[in-house]
Amino acid sequence: MATDQPQKLFKAQTLKGFRDYMPELMAPRQAMIRLIEATFERHGFQPLQTPALEYLETLAGKYGEEGDKLLYRFQDHGERHVALRYDLTVPLARVVAEHRNEIQLPFRRYQVAPVWRADKPQRGRFREFFQCDADIVGVNSAIADAETLITGLSVLQTLGIDGAVLHLNHRDVLFGLIAAAGVTEKAQQIACIRAIDKLDKIPAAAVQTEIETAGIDAETAERVVGQFLHGAMTIESVADRLSAASVDTAGLDRLREVLALVRAAGLSERIRFDPTIARGLDYYTGIIYETRLTDPRVKGIGAVMSGGRYDGLIGLFTKEAIPAVGISLGLDRLLAAMQELELVSKDSHAVQVYVTVFSEAQAVTAIQLAGLLRQAGLRAELDLAGGKLGKQLERASKRGARLAVMVGPDEATAGTAVLKDLRDGAQQTVSQADLASTAGALLAV
RNA sequence: GUGGGUGUAGCUCAGCUGGUAGAGCGCGGGAUUGUGAUUCCCGAUGUCAUGGGUUCAAGCCCCAUCACUCACCCCA
C-alpha cells in the first residue's frame, strides 16, 4: 500500500435503508432488548434464533401481494433461490414443522432479530430493522390469545410506557361487518378493509369515496362506512348487526372472552375493541391487533406492537394443523417513542469510574486499582491516551464517568488514592483497599 | 412503485440578481507548580455530493447519477 500516489478511497457508506447502530444508540437499545427478553422469559417464552436466509419458497406467497414485492430475494452461489427473512413469524412456522418431533406443544418462543424488507426508506422506516416477537404455538383458545396480549402489554409496562392502548379486533368480525353491509365479493371486501383502516386518518366521506372506486355503489359504500363510525363500535352494537344479517358471531364471542381475560389481568385501561383494525399480512385468521401510543408527542409514530392469530400458516409446512398466536414489537419505533417521551436513561452503559494514569511509574497501581473496581462490579475505564492530568480528567467527563481516580507519587507511597466526584468536584483521599467500596457507595447515592 | 424537497468544514447551517467560501458547535494547542465540565486567547480543516454542460467566470444556471428526506402505497 505504500505509494506516493493518492489512493482512490473506497466509499464508506451503508446501503440505502441500512444503518450502523453507534454506541450512543446501541446502549439504550441493548438495555431495552434486555428488558424485553427478560419480560418474555418471565412469561414462559423460550429463546429461538433462526437464519437470516431462507429458501425463497418458504417465504414467498405468505405475506400477500404487497409483502411479496418487498422480499429481498436472490440466487446464491449454488443457484438456489433464497430470500432474507421478512418477519419472524413465517420462519417460526417453518421451524415448528421442521422440528415437529422435538417441540412440545404448546410451544412458547421469543425472538429478537433483524428482518429485511425492500421497502422505500422513510423516517423511522428502514430496510433492515429489528422485531421482538413472542408466539404461542399449538393452542387455539382465548386464554392463549390473552396470554400473548398480556405479555406484550407487560413489556410496554416494563419499559415505562404508560399511554399505550391495544386496539383489538377479529378477522371474522371485520369481514362480517362488511358482508352485513352487502359486500360479499372477496376482492371488494379487501378494498373496503384497506379503506376502513384509514378512518382514523381521513374523513369518513373520503373513505367512502375510496370504497366506491372499488366498484361498489354509493349506497352500499355508505352502509359499509356506517358500520365502523363512532357509536357503531361497541361489541353489543356489532353483535346486533351481525346477528341481524345472520353472520356468524363466533369471532365476536372470542373477542368477548379475550377482553374479559385481559381485563381480569388488571389491564382494562390498556385494551379496547376496535372493529376498524385491519392487518395487511395474509396469514391472520383470528384476533388481530395494533397498539398505539396515546401521548400527543408520539402521535405520528404508528403502531408499536401488533400481531394476531394465524391458525393456517404452519399447516402450509406440515399436514398437521397447528394453531398459533403471536405478538410483534418494533424495537426501533419503540425506542424512538421512548426517546421522545424521555424514558431512555443515558447512563446504563456509561463508564462509572475513570482511572487516570499519572505517569508511567504509576501505571501498575492504576491497573491494579481498575482491577479492584471491576471485581467489585463497577464499570471502570483506564486512561490509555496519557498526557497531563487535566487532559485525562477532561476525557473522563467526556466519557460520562461519574467518578475519577487519581494516584500520584504521594498517594502511591501512602497507599492511598484520590477519588473525585466529577459532578460536583468534591474529592476525598481513601486507602486503596477501600477504593472500590467507597466508589460503590458514592455511585449508589 | 408514484410525486415533491435537499446535498457547502466532524455536526447544524449561512452564502444577496453567477466573480474561485463563512458562522456557531465540535476538534487541537495555550492561560507557571498534580485536577475536568464553566471562562479567556490562539489554531487547523473543505476537489462547495459525483460526472458532464452553459459562461470570460458557477457553490449559486442546465442535464444526468448517487445519497438523504417528506407525502402516497404499505407497514415495524
Side-chain angles (χ1 to χ4, degrees), chain A residues 148-437:
Chain A
T148 316
L149 304 187
I150 288 166
T151 302
L153 289 171
S154 179
V155 167
L156 295 182
Q157 206 169 345
T158 307
L159 293 175
I161 296 170
D162 291 325
V165 176
L166 194 151
H167 295 249
L168 182 68
N169 196 12
H170 194 290
R171 200 87 168 166
D172 294 348
V173 171
L174 189 59
F175 279 99
L177 281 171
I178 292 166
V183 180
T184 48
E185 196 193 316
K186 191 80 178 175
Q188 292 190 329
Q189 289 182 330
I190 302 274
C192 288
I193 288 171
R194 199 162 291 161
I196 287 158
D197 200 28
K198 294 177 194 161
L199 264 176
D200 58 335
K201 283 188 213 157
I202 60 176
V207 172
Q208 189 184 324
T209 309
E210 190 171 326
I211 291 175
E212 286 169 32
T213 45
I216 294 164
D217 64 85
E219 201 182 318
T220 309
E222 189 177 352
R223 232 178 305 135
V224 171
V225 174
Q227 295 282 36
F228 299 95
L229 287 181
H230 209 68
M233 311 254 285
T234 68
I235 290 242
E236 296 321 316
S237 154
V238 171
D240 290 346
R241 277 172 284 145
L242 290 183
S243 309
S246 52
V247 173
D248 181 51
T249 56
L252 202 64
D253 296 336
R254 170 59 69 89
L255 281 183
R256 277 205 184 93
E257 291 176 68
V258 174
L259 283 167
L261 288 167
V262 174
R263 283 174 184 147
L267 295 165
S268 320
E269 302 301 309
R270 300 270 93 98
I271 191 163
R272 175 181 309 159
F273 167 56
D274 182 349
T276 68
I277 293 298
R279 307 245 62 228
L281 301 178
D282 270 8
Y283 52 62
Y284 290 117
T285 55
I287 61 162
I288 45 181
Y289 55 87
E290 285 181 4
T291 310
R292 297 186 191 141
L293 303 180
T294 51
D295 193 299
R297 285 176 291 175
V298 291
K299 207 64 192 168
I301 210 149
V304 294
M305 176 173 90
S306 35
R309 172 165 288 284
Y310 47 100
D311 287 347
L313 184 59
I314 300 171
L316 298 176
F317 295 98
T318 173
K319 283 180 183 166
E320 190 181 358
I322 301 176
V325 60
I327 195 152
S328 181
L329 286 109
L331 183 67
D332 293 286
R333 238 175 223 196
L334 257 183
L335 178 59
M338 287 174 66
Q339 278 170 334
E340 199 62 43
L341 298 172
E342 288 159 17
L343 291 172
V344 177
S345 87
K346 296 193 168 59
D347 52 23
S348 63
H349 286 61
V351 168
Q352 294 171 304
V353 191
Y354 196 93
V355 181
T356 60
V357 179
F358 190 84
S359 70
E360 271 189 51
Q362 268 67 236
V364 170
T365 314
I367 274 198
Q368 286 170 341
L369 291 180
L372 288 175
L373 292 164
R374 290 163 181 161
Q375 272 168 36
L378 303 178
R379 294 188 291 274
E381 178 174 340
L382 189 69
D383 184 90
L384 298 178
K388 292 197 286 194
L389 191 55
K391 266 266 105 56
Q392 298 194 33
L393 288 173
E394 195 179 317
R395 280 195 287 271
S397 330
K398 276 182 189 151
R399 297 284 288 108
R402 281 253 325 257
L403 304 173
V405 172
M406 295 167 281
V407 180
D410 299 346
E411 289 79 13
T413 48
T416 60
V418 175
L419 184 59
K420 174 165 182 145
D421 190 325
L422 291 169
R423 289 190 306 184
D424 56 18
Q427 62 183 54
Q428 54 184 302
T429 302
V430 298
S431 80
Q432 292 179 4
D434 294 339
L435 179 65
S437 59

